[in-house]
Amino acid sequence: MVESVLDALVIVLVSICANLVSEGISWFFVYRTDSFKQSKVRLDELNKRLEKEEATLVGLEKRKVQEKKIERYNEDIKNATSQLNGSRFKVNIGISLLLMIVYRLISFQYYGKAVATLPFEPIPYLRGMTHRGLEGENFRECSFAFIYAMCTMALKGTMQKALGHAAPRNTYDYMKNMEKDSMLSRKY
């Protein structure tokens, strides 16, 4: 029991360290560069202008002009967002490789070993993830792969937000709207 708790803690700590290293790499190659800072400032400025324009009440005769301005701001935000994402693309590939290497290194130590016991039996859909690489039919046993994957996913966004590297809030709203628009265009 104590050994499995220690194993789970080691996996969580390795995941934390891997995420910190990945954020350090991102900061070194992306977030500290002047081009990224300028792009982020431009995106923040565009988001503020869009919010201001959307909050402005106009009469019916000026509604078309306002809609064109809003559409132009949305297009500018789209371009600025893609520029920000493009600057992180190569680094994100490197970070993905780093996290896969860390996963592989951990798997040498913990593959086939139950590192935690779940307080419930997972639904059949999740059993493949929680019981990956484990022998036997006790589906309450949890493998290192599930703990590592959950920690990495949970910590990535949290660390980005805590370190101030997360994208501006309106960018996410814009991406959601862009996804809705693309889904609507596919229907027709």
Side-chain angles (χ1 to χ4, degrees), residues 25 29-30 85-97:
I25 290 170
F29 288 109
V30 177
N85 291 337
S87 67
R88 294 188 293 205
F89 181 73
K90 290 179 185 176
V91 175
N92 284 344
I93 289 174
I95 289 170
S96 297
L97 289 173

Side-chain angles (χ1 to χ4, degrees), residues 1-2 15 19 98 116 121 137 150-151 168:
M1 170 82 177
V2 174
S15 178
N19 277 302
L98 169 76
E121 188 170 311
E137 297 296 318
M150 290 290 111
C151 287

Side-chain angles (χ1 to χ4, degrees), residues 89-155:
F89 181 73
K90 290 179 185 176
V91 175
N92 284 344
I93 289 174
I95 289 170
S96 297
L97 289 173
L98 169 76
L99 293 175
M100 283 189 275
I101 289 169
V102 170
Y103 175 86
R104 188 72 178 146
L105 292 173
I106 293 173
S107 73
F108 289 134
Q109 179 70 30
Y110 295 107
Y111 191 79
K113 184 178 180 184
V115 295
T117 303
L118 299 173
F120 57 90
E121 188 170 311
I123 59 174
Y125 178 74
L126 294 177
R127 285 181 190 163
M129 291 186 288
T130 60
H131 202 68
R132 182 182 179 110
L134 297 178
E135 300 283 327
E137 297 296 318
N138 184 0
F139 294 115
R140 293 183 66 211
E141 291 179 342
C142 185
S143 69
F144 81 93
F146 181 71
I147 293 175
Y148 178 75
M150 290 290 111
C151 287
T152 301
M153 287 190 296
L155 292 172

